[in-house]
mmCIF file of all heavy atoms in Angstrom:
data_model
loop_
_atom_site.group_PDB
_atom_site.id
_atom_site.type_symbol
_atom_site.label_atom_id
_atom_site.label_comp_id
_atom_site.label_asym_id
_atom_site.label_seq_id
_atom_site.Cartn_x
_atom_site.Cartn_y
_atom_site.Cartn_z
ATOM 1 N N LEU B 138 -104.054 -24.255 98.518
ATOM 2 C CA LEU B 138 -103.624 -24.366 97.119
ATOM 3 C C LEU B 138 -103.153 -23.015 96.586
ATOM 4 O O LEU B 138 -102.151 -22.919 95.872
ATOM 5 C CB LEU B 138 -104.801 -24.871 96.296
ATOM 6 C CG LEU B 138 -104.519 -25.547 94.965
ATOM 7 C CD1 LEU B 138 -103.614 -26.724 95.185
ATOM 8 C CD2 LEU B 138 -105.825 -25.976 94.346
ATOM 9 N N LEU B 139 -103.875 -21.961 96.985
ATOM 10 C CA LEU B 139 -103.566 -20.610 96.496
ATOM 11 C C LEU B 139 -102.194 -20.156 96.966
ATOM 12 O O LEU B 139 -101.478 -19.462 96.234
ATOM 13 C CB LEU B 139 -104.643 -19.653 96.998
ATOM 14 C CG LEU B 139 -104.782 -18.302 96.332
ATOM 15 C CD1 LEU B 139 -105.108 -18.504 94.887
ATOM 16 C CD2 LEU B 139 -105.888 -17.537 97.010
ATOM 17 N N PHE B 140 -101.805 -20.561 98.183
ATOM 18 C CA PHE B 140 -100.537 -20.081 98.731
ATOM 19 C C PHE B 140 -99.425 -21.106 98.629
ATOM 20 O O PHE B 140 -98.368 -20.913 99.215
ATOM 21 C CB PHE B 140 -100.711 -19.635 100.184
ATOM 22 C CG PHE B 140 -101.348 -18.294 100.285
ATOM 23 C CD1 PHE B 140 -102.696 -18.180 100.498
ATOM 24 C CD2 PHE B 140 -100.594 -17.138 100.121
ATOM 25 C CE1 PHE B 140 -103.294 -16.943 100.565
ATOM 26 C CE2 PHE B 140 -101.190 -15.910 100.186
ATOM 27 C CZ PHE B 140 -102.547 -15.804 100.411
ATOM 28 N N SER B 141 -99.664 -22.225 97.919
ATOM 29 C CA SER B 141 -98.552 -23.154 97.705
ATOM 30 C C SER B 141 -98.266 -23.313 96.214
ATOM 31 O O SER B 141 -97.263 -22.820 95.714
ATOM 32 C CB SER B 141 -98.866 -24.505 98.347
ATOM 33 O OG SER B 141 -100.072 -25.013 97.815
ATOM 34 N N ARG B 142 -99.185 -23.964 95.480
ATOM 35 C CA ARG B 142 -98.895 -24.248 94.081
ATOM 36 C C ARG B 142 -99.028 -22.994 93.219
ATOM 37 O O ARG B 142 -98.296 -22.821 92.258
ATOM 38 C CB ARG B 142 -99.841 -25.341 93.572
ATOM 39 C CG ARG B 142 -99.297 -26.008 92.319
ATOM 40 C CD ARG B 142 -100.363 -26.734 91.537
ATOM 41 N NE ARG B 142 -100.921 -27.883 92.222
ATOM 42 C CZ ARG B 142 -101.968 -28.557 91.755
ATOM 43 N NH1 ARG B 142 -102.535 -28.207 90.630
ATOM 44 N NH2 ARG B 142 -102.448 -29.584 92.426
ATOM 45 N N TYR B 143 -99.982 -22.119 93.563
ATOM 46 C CA TYR B 143 -100.242 -20.959 92.712
ATOM 47 C C TYR B 143 -99.716 -19.674 93.332
ATOM 48 O O TYR B 143 -100.244 -18.594 93.052
ATOM 49 C CB TYR B 143 -101.743 -20.835 92.437
ATOM 50 C CG TYR B 143 -102.279 -21.972 91.623
ATOM 51 C CD1 TYR B 143 -102.940 -23.026 92.222
ATOM 52 C CD2 TYR B 143 -102.088 -22.004 90.247
ATOM 53 C CE1 TYR B 143 -103.417 -24.080 91.476
ATOM 54 C CE2 TYR B 143 -102.557 -23.048 89.497
ATOM 55 C CZ TYR B 143 -103.217 -24.083 90.114
ATOM 56 O OH TYR B 143 -103.684 -25.132 89.365
ATOM 57 N N LEU B 144 -98.653 -19.778 94.148
ATOM 58 C CA LEU B 144 -98.179 -18.583 94.867
ATOM 59 C C LEU B 144 -97.654 -17.524 93.913
ATOM 60 O O LEU B 144 -97.980 -16.338 94.037
ATOM 61 C CB LEU B 144 -97.087 -18.990 95.866
ATOM 62 C CG LEU B 144 -96.562 -17.835 96.707
ATOM 63 C CD1 LEU B 144 -97.669 -17.260 97.554
ATOM 64 C CD2 LEU B 144 -95.425 -18.275 97.595
ATOM 65 N N ILE B 145 -96.849 -17.948 92.906
ATOM 66 C CA ILE B 145 -96.269 -16.989 91.962
ATOM 67 C C ILE B 145 -97.380 -16.272 91.199
ATOM 68 O O ILE B 145 -97.371 -15.038 91.047
ATOM 69 C CB ILE B 145 -95.325 -17.702 90.976
ATOM 70 C CG1 ILE B 145 -94.262 -18.482 91.742
ATOM 71 C CG2 ILE B 145 -94.683 -16.721 90.035
ATOM 72 C CD1 ILE B 145 -93.243 -17.628 92.386
ATOM 73 N N THR B 146 -98.368 -17.051 90.726
ATOM 74 C CA THR B 146 -99.490 -16.454 89.999
ATOM 75 C C THR B 146 -100.238 -15.457 90.874
ATOM 76 O O THR B 146 -100.641 -14.385 90.413
ATOM 77 C CB THR B 146 -100.445 -17.557 89.535
ATOM 78 O OG1 THR B 146 -99.691 -18.692 89.179
ATOM 79 C CG2 THR B 146 -101.240 -17.102 88.358
ATOM 80 N N PHE B 147 -100.402 -15.826 92.144
ATOM 81 C CA PHE B 147 -101.114 -14.944 93.071
ATOM 82 C C PHE B 147 -100.393 -13.608 93.207
ATOM 83 O O PHE B 147 -101.017 -12.535 93.145
ATOM 84 C CB PHE B 147 -101.219 -15.661 94.416
ATOM 85 C CG PHE B 147 -102.038 -14.935 95.437
ATOM 86 C CD1 PHE B 147 -103.391 -14.782 95.270
ATOM 87 C CD2 PHE B 147 -101.438 -14.417 96.568
ATOM 88 C CE1 PHE B 147 -104.140 -14.112 96.196
ATOM 89 C CE2 PHE B 147 -102.190 -13.754 97.509
ATOM 90 C CZ PHE B 147 -103.539 -13.605 97.325
ATOM 91 N N GLU B 148 -99.055 -13.666 93.345
ATOM 92 C CA GLU B 148 -98.295 -12.421 93.471
ATOM 93 C C GLU B 148 -98.377 -11.603 92.185
ATOM 94 O O GLU B 148 -98.478 -10.372 92.212
ATOM 95 C CB GLU B 148 -96.828 -12.727 93.785
ATOM 96 C CG GLU B 148 -96.601 -13.509 95.068
ATOM 97 C CD GLU B 148 -96.891 -12.683 96.295
ATOM 98 O OE1 GLU B 148 -96.906 -11.451 96.166
ATOM 99 O OE2 GLU B 148 -97.117 -13.276 97.366
ATOM 100 N N MET B 149 -98.342 -12.315 91.029
ATOM 101 C CA MET B 149 -98.393 -11.590 89.754
ATOM 102 C C MET B 149 -99.745 -10.937 89.540
ATOM 103 O O MET B 149 -99.835 -9.854 88.935
ATOM 104 C CB MET B 149 -98.070 -12.534 88.597
ATOM 105 C CG MET B 149 -96.599 -12.844 88.528
ATOM 106 S SD MET B 149 -96.255 -14.124 87.358
ATOM 107 C CE MET B 149 -96.410 -13.222 85.855
#
Side-chain angles (χ1 to χ4, degrees):
Chain B
L138 202 58
L139 197 61
F140 282 97
S141 57
R142 200 199 294 173
Y143 294 99
L144 182 62
I145 305 288
T146 324
F147 185 67
E148 300 290 341
M149 285 171 76

